[in-house]
Amino acid sequence: MGRTTVAGSTRTIADLVVERLRAWRVPRVFGHPGEGVALIVESLHRAGGDPAFVPSRHEEAAGFMASGHAKFTGGVGICLATQGPGALHLLGGLYDAKLDSKPVVAIVGQQTHSALGSAYQEIELPRLFSDVCSQFLRIAAVGEQVPYLVDQAIRTAVSTRSPTCLVVPHDLLGQAVPDGMPHPDGGGVIAASPGLPPARVVPHEQDLNAAAQLLAAGQRVAILVGQGGYGAADEIVELADRIDAGVATSLLGKPVLDERLPYHTGVLGQVGTEASAQLMAGCDTLLMIGTNDPWTGYYPVPGQATAVQIDIDGSRLATRYPIDVPLIGDARETLRGLLDRIPARNNRDWRDTIEIAVDRARTESSARADAPARRVNPRLVLHELSSRLPVDASVTVDVGSVTYWYARHLQLPPGVQAHLCGTLASVGSALPYAVAAKLAASDRPVFALLGDGAMQSSGLAELITVAQRWPEWPDPRFVVLVLNNGDRGGRAGDPDPEERGAVDAPARATGAELDRPAGSGLPTPEVVRTGDIPYAGWARLLGLHGIRVDRPELVGAAWEEAIAADRPTLIEAVVDATIPLDPPERPFADLRGLAADGAGADAAALQSRARTLRERAAHGANLG
């Protein structure tokens, strides 16, 4: 006879799954109820919130919530889905976690063993998840396996910074826990135990010495910071000041450093700034810190710069640019090792040149935000938030033109966390991220930045989740910005509006048309077709606060009203779809002409210097 719970009911394998999650101190599980995982959901409810179950409107949102939880907390995100289409819908969030290197565990239901081969909603789950969860994918066959498999799924996700998957058939979940199994910290077949102590990873001494020599020898050093630089801001700034380097960030690395630094050129790449492109084009030495930024067209020309790369994952080294000294290690520990080896020096010509480029870029950015537009300039909306963003805020960003405006026009105060679906670039991730961020720190304000396409993709549904949960939050500040440009198809990377057609061209079909019966009182097909969907009205219908902004003079006041509101607020900014995205010019020209002394160097001279440094390094010469 199986063990019984405190309430007297039989303790099942589903209860055992929940107990293992509690042993790992998992705070919450995101999911969408379904037959295949119904017993786990029931067990979570019996657990009384330890861990809590957070139901989403759709499994894809649950996957993004789990990924968002991992990004904002540094812990492991857990998502739950039933078999068949439920499992399919998790893939977006799991691929997001895989490509951005975050630990997520998917627990997926399956039909009973006896029905496999001809079951309703049957999908070959091992084949479905074999790529995205390649580090760990198991199907539980007997109850004695379950504690070990749950532990290994979590341990592998954390240690490899990737998603893992455990499939548990429905009939197994309902079985009683055998009497011989320890309670609740062991399996009857294989011992299981929670916990994974963090490791300290630093490069070898000789590699640190080689890297320090290269960086000390550089006359025009550029530092590119990615999300792997989190927690190392002080060391990055100290090193940059010591060698008078300029600093750019990847899109994912934007929150790492204080963006007000005079030598911080901003984000690199198509969504980035001209100053960052110019920094890369003019450097002779490149230090990459925790970044796998894909915009290789904006890196220095191969051969132009000697390069050092720091990354905790050795498989990412030298995948974006030829690297002379690769360093496997934690960013903070590795930078401390370099600082011990690199003396301070004065190279003000290069630093002055960079700061001139930064000043010019910031002046141009402000001018673009203030430029007149039809209704509201979308750049202005993000620009006006910069001075009002609380220092303890969390920010989530969706995919689309809003990504450009966030990268260039929102200046993040130090300490503000900001995350987006950076590498997968899947529309509809920001609001699920925001829910996860708020649940992880309900006493902090959260800002979700979306376009109208993302809002239609998942935001309209997941706003229901916000409406249901916000009364539990001690701080009700949860602000959703929807940039409504009436062009649901516009995304980052698509041709800019000027390439799609003239300003006064008739509005084209967007795929959002809906038939409405005459006299229904609902938006007409013409209204919906032109993008005039009442997003703020939908928020008010759910009991939230809704603000519609269609004039530039209302923008600042709208942000202030939203931040002061006693409930979550949706700001619908009706913006000009014809504002061009303006990717920075390809960096074929360097920083020449920006400084009074003409501190630039042409590509041939930079490549020649890089070759000399490499030759001297190969012969063991002192590069200092």
Side-chain angles (χ1 to χ4, degrees):
M1 183 175 179
R3 293 180 182 271
T4 58
T5 64
V6 175
S9 59
T10 300
R11 179 167 166 253
T12 66
I13 299 301
D15 294 319
L16 196 58
V17 171
V18 174
E19 289 168 7
R20 297 316 300 164
L21 297 178
R22 185 185 305 117
W24 279 89
R25 298 182 180 178
V26 170
R28 59 193 60 86
V29 176
F30 304 96
H32 189 78
E35 179 184 6
V37 291
L39 295 177
I40 296 179
V41 173
E42 292 174 7
S43 181
L44 286 166
H45 287 312
R46 287 195 299 272
D50 185 20
F53 177 60
V54 181
S56 63
R57 307 304 109 186
H58 193 277
E59 291 90 353
E60 183 178 51
F64 282 123
M65 287 177 187
S67 180
H69 174 88
K71 292 182 178 186
F72 277 97
T73 68
V76 61
I78 309 292
C79 54
L80 188 68
T82 190
Q83 71 272 355
L88 283 170
H89 294 155
L90 283 183
L91 289 178
L94 295 180
Y95 270 107
D96 175 35
K98 177 178 180 176
L99 297 182
D100 283 355
S101 300
K102 300 302 176 185
V104 168
V105 175
I107 300 175
V108 181
Q110 178 61 291
Q111 290 87 351
T112 61
H113 281 104
S114 60
L116 292 177
S118 60
Y120 176 66
Q121 290 189 326
E122 182 173 355
I123 289 176
E124 185 63 33
L125 294 179
R127 188 171 298 181
L128 176 69
F129 289 103
S130 61
D131 177 53
V132 69
C133 296
S134 58
Q135 297 288 351
F136 183 92
L137 170 58
R138 299 289 187 275
I139 302 177
V142 296
E144 289 82 355
Q145 290 180 297
V146 169
Y148 168 76
L149 292 178
V150 173
D151 288 357
Q152 283 302 103
I154 297 175
R155 187 175 289 113
T156 302
V158 173
S159 61
T160 62
R161 300 171 304 281
S162 66
T164 61
C165 179
L166 173 60
V167 179
V168 189
H170 183 263
D171 53 338
L172 179 60
L173 288 171
Q175 291 179 12
V177 175
D179 287 330
M181 291 185 65
H183 178 81
D185 53 358
V189 177
I190 303 173
S193 59
L196 186 67
R200 178 177 181 265
V201 182
V202 293
H204 292 292
E205 294 290 320
Q206 61 267 31
D207 297 324
L208 286 171
N209 289 335
Q213 289 178 335
L214 277 176
L215 294 172
Q219 298 299 309
R220 304 161 67 83
V221 182
I223 300 176
L224 178 59
V225 179
Q227 62 173 336
Y230 273 109
D234 291 343
E235 289 76 13
I236 295 170
V237 170
E238 183 177 350
L239 179 60
D241 286 337
R242 187 169 295 187
I243 58 179
D244 282 332
V247 178
T249 71
S250 69
L251 183 61
L252 295 180
K254 178 179 166 71
V256 172
L257 298 177
D258 184 351
E259 295 191 285
R260 298 169 298 183
L261 291 168
Y263 51 83
H264 191 317
T265 60
V267 173
L268 180 70
Q270 184 171 326
V271 300
T273 68
E274 291 183 3
S276 290
Q278 291 165 341
L279 171 69
M280 293 295 155
C283 72
D284 65 7
T285 306
L286 174 65
L287 171 60
M288 299 170 60
I289 303 173
T291 179
N292 192 36
D293 194 310
W295 299 112
T296 54
Y298 291 88
Y299 282 52
V301 175
Q304 166 191 322
T306 56
V308 175
Q309 184 176 3
I310 302 170
D311 206 292
I312 191 67
D313 186 349
S315 68
R316 296 187 184 274
L317 296 171
T319 59
R320 301 298 187 186
Y321 192 78
I323 300 300
D324 297 286
V325 183
L327 299 174
I328 300 177
D330 299 305
R332 189 176 186 184
E333 296 285 351
T334 302
L335 287 166
R336 285 176 173 175
L338 290 174
L339 285 167
D340 291 339
R341 294 166 168 82
I342 299 176
R345 62 121 185 269
N346 190 322
N347 189 18
R348 287 304 309 179
D349 288 347
W350 174 237
R351 177 61 74 82
D352 289 344
T353 302
I354 294 165
E355 292 182 3
I356 290 172
V358 170
D359 287 342
R360 187 175 74 172
R362 290 174 180 172
T363 299
E364 291 176 352
S365 177
S366 295
R368 289 174 177 175
D370 290 335
R374 288 181 169 186
R375 294 194 171 180
V376 178
N377 184 337
R379 300 163 174 150
L380 178 67
V381 181
L382 278 298
H383 179 79
E384 287 290 323
L385 176 59
S386 292
S387 61
R388 297 174 171 88
L389 190 65
V391 295
D392 61 342
S394 297
V395 177
T396 69
V397 188
D398 221 292
V399 176
S401 59
V402 67
T403 312
Y404 285 75
W405 315 139
Y406 157 75
R408 297 171 186 162
H409 297 280
L410 179 60
Q411 190 175 79
L412 300 174
V416 167
Q417 291 191 79
H419 290 286
L420 68 163
C421 184
T423 310
L424 181 65
S426 178
V427 170
S429 53
L431 201 49
Y433 275 17
V435 170
K438 190 65 175 181
L439 293 177
S442 57
D443 58 341
R444 298 180 58 170
V446 172
F447 292 75
L449 313 178
L450 297 79
D452 51 358
M455 194 63 190
Q456 292 179 39
S457 176
S458 67
L460 291 173
E462 293 309 322
L463 205 62
I464 299 172
T465 305
V466 176
Q468 290 180 335
R469 304 195 74 92
W470 80 265
E472 306 167 4
W473 300 338
D475 185 332
R477 290 176 294 175
F478 187 101
V479 183
V480 179
L481 169 68
V482 179
L483 294 179
N484 182 6
N485 65 7
D487 185 8
R488 187 178 185 274
R491 301 183 186 181
D494 286 352
D496 66 54
E498 290 185 342
E499 294 173 339
R500 291 197 297 260
V503 170
D504 294 324
R508 61 181 176 83
T510 64
E513 297 90 336
L514 300 172
D515 291 330
R516 291 284 182 260
S520 66
L522 296 174
T524 64
E526 176 61 24
V527 167
V528 175
R529 187 179 70 82
T530 57
D532 196 15
I533 297 171
Y535 300 105
W538 172 239
R540 290 192 291 269
L541 186 63
L542 295 175
L544 308 178
H545 189 40
I547 305 170
R548 181 178 168 94
V549 176
D550 56 6
R551 299 195 309 275
E553 62 269 21
L554 301 177
V555 172
W559 282 121
E560 292 171 4
E561 181 179 340
I563 293 170
D566 64 351
R567 63 194 60 216
T569 299
L570 186 147
I571 298 176
E572 177 187 353
V574 185
V575 297
D576 189 343
T578 67
I579 298 295
L581 300 179
D582 286 336
E585 294 181 3
R586 292 291 182 179
F588 297 131
D590 57 31
L591 293 171
R592 286 177 295 177
L594 292 178
D597 59 1
D602 60 36
L606 291 172
Q607 291 175 347
S608 175
R609 173 172 171 76
R611 283 194 299 271
T612 300
L613 291 175
R614 291 190 184 94
E615 290 169 0
R616 293 172 63 186
H619 289 86
N622 183 353
L623 297 179

